Amino acid sequence: MSDIQKIGVWQTAFLGDAVLTLPLITALRQHYPDAEIHFFVRKGFGELFSAQPELAGVHEFDKRGEHKTLSDARRYGKSIKAMGLGLWISTHTSFRSAVVARATGIKRRIGYKSPWFNRLAYHKTVDRRFDELEEIERLHQLLKPLGIEPPAPEPQMVLPELARGVADAVLAMQPADAPLLGIHPGSTWPTKCWPIEYYATIARAAASAGCAVLIFAGPGEEESAAKVREFAGRGVHSLRITDMGGKLKLPELAAVIDRLDAYLTNDSGPMHLAWMQKTPTVAVFGPTVKKLGFFPRGEHSVVLETELDCRPCGLHGHKTCPEGHHDCMKQVTPEMAWRALAPMLGFQTVD
């Protein structure tokens, strides 16, 4: 298949899913060093990947607006024909993604075997294999029809220089020589959120210990960040806590996370921005579990979770706890989180 000159990779799911696709893209670049690789992502994510050296282009798909209907998706797929792509790899399993894939008319299309309609959209299909593989390895299965075998390569996230300049400015405003802790209390899924009071306890403890604390929030999550800042209280320590909710674009958030000494988060998209840049990460998992394969990888990452019969309650989470108690998050205490964070921040003992 050395005749392939242009490749399309489709991943229009959530932020974390797009970030986890980078190892697949890296493997494609290694196998097809002269091919153009085009990455298709959800609207709003394009700038994050705009500096990736493996990519010839990043294209946004507005699945909640311009391309909302199946007719819109079909038209979008047909518009891709003009790009002259010779290979299409879809890492997404929705019916809309299958409609786009089939409409492209690309001669070689690879996707997952299920749901059933995928077998009508792709020439080659593979099992998604939730039984034993982590997500990066599951994605790598899509490359096996091309003769690209595991292991998946280690990716490197490359961010725009402007974003790194913003990160420099943010850090310049923090106390000199203070360990820097970032916390992200939000999530697309409400049941994935650790209690606001717990985050505030950590922010207060870290600031009292001499850390600078940055509270992050994505679009629609600003209220959570503001509440953490409010609940953390006033006093001398509070001068070290900064609410960054709504103040950073996605690439800028990634660039600031890269500079942190430690990062505390729910199971969320920004969690993947952290561990992939080797930022020491503590992630609280509740509705989801580590064994699903979407956890932060690497020796600098820690997952906090409790053993409950009701976990996991889904692949993503729910708006409300199906059991009505949310114990999966409540039982992960601030003390547990601080014990994990303290050594990352340079503290040898924990009170």
Side-chain angles (χ1 to χ4, degrees), residues 174-183 199 201-214 216 240-241 256-257 259-265 278-282 300-302 334-351:
Q174 307 310 311
D177 301 323
L180 189 58
L181 171 66
I183 63 177
Y199 274 111
T201 297
I202 293 297
R204 186 166 53 247
S208 298
C211 296
V213 181
L214 301 177
F216 303 117
R240 294 176 172 269
I241 305 174
V256 173
I257 287 175
R259 305 283 292 278
L260 300 174
D261 292 295
Y263 184 64
L264 174 64
T265 179
K278 297 183 171 56
T279 296
T281 300
V282 175
H300 301 298
S301 298
V302 174
E335 290 76 19
M336 294 166 63
W338 184 244
R339 281 196 296 271
L341 287 166
M344 296 177 178
L345 295 166
F347 304 119
Q348 299 303 314
T349 59
V350 179
D351 294 332

Side-chain angles (χ1 to χ4, degrees), residues 283-304:
V284 184
F285 276 42
T288 54
V289 294
K290 185 176 179 180
K291 64 184 180 182
L292 288 175
F294 296 90
F295 62 92
R297 293 158 61 123
E299 60 182 347
H300 301 298
S301 298
V302 174
V303 173
L304 300 178

Side-chain angles (χ1 to χ4, degrees), residues 15-70:
L15 172 61
D17 300 294
V19 174
L20 289 169
T21 308
L22 287 177
L24 179 147
I25 290 172
T26 301
L28 284 171
R29 165 56 61 231
Q30 293 174 356
H31 198 72
Y32 300 106
D34 299 321
E36 288 185 11
I37 302 176
H38 293 262
F39 195 23
F40 295 80
V41 297
R42 191 177 186 143
K43 184 178 180 180
F45 297 164
E47 189 179 359
L48 176 66
F49 302 101
S50 62
Q52 283 296 135
E54 302 92 345
L55 299 175
V58 183
H59 313 270
E60 295 190 350
F61 182 76
D62 188 5
K63 63 196 297 182
R64 297 291 180 259
E66 181 182 359
H67 309 122
K68 185 176 182 178
T69 70
L70 291 180

Side-chain angles (χ1 to χ4, degrees), residues 20-28 30-31 89 91 110 112 126-129 133-154 297:
L20 289 169
T21 308
L22 287 177
L24 179 147
I25 290 172
T26 301
L28 284 171
Q30 293 174 356
H31 198 72
I89 299 174
T91 68
I110 301 174
Y112 286 117
V126 300
D127 290 322
R128 199 169 177 198
R129 295 185 59 185
L133 297 179
E134 297 173 18
E135 178 63 5
I136 286 176
E137 283 67 40
R138 276 194 290 267
L139 290 168
H140 202 78
Q141 299 299 302
L142 292 164
L143 303 182
K144 296 188 79 171
L146 302 171
I148 305 175
E149 296 292 333
E154 183 174 337
R297 293 158 61 123

Side-chain angles (χ1 to χ4, degrees), residues 104-118:
T104 65
I106 296 169
K107 293 183 178 180
R108 298 184 179 104
R109 302 191 299 269
I110 301 174
Y112 286 117
K113 189 174 295 183
S114 60
W116 64 267
F117 49 75
N118 276 3

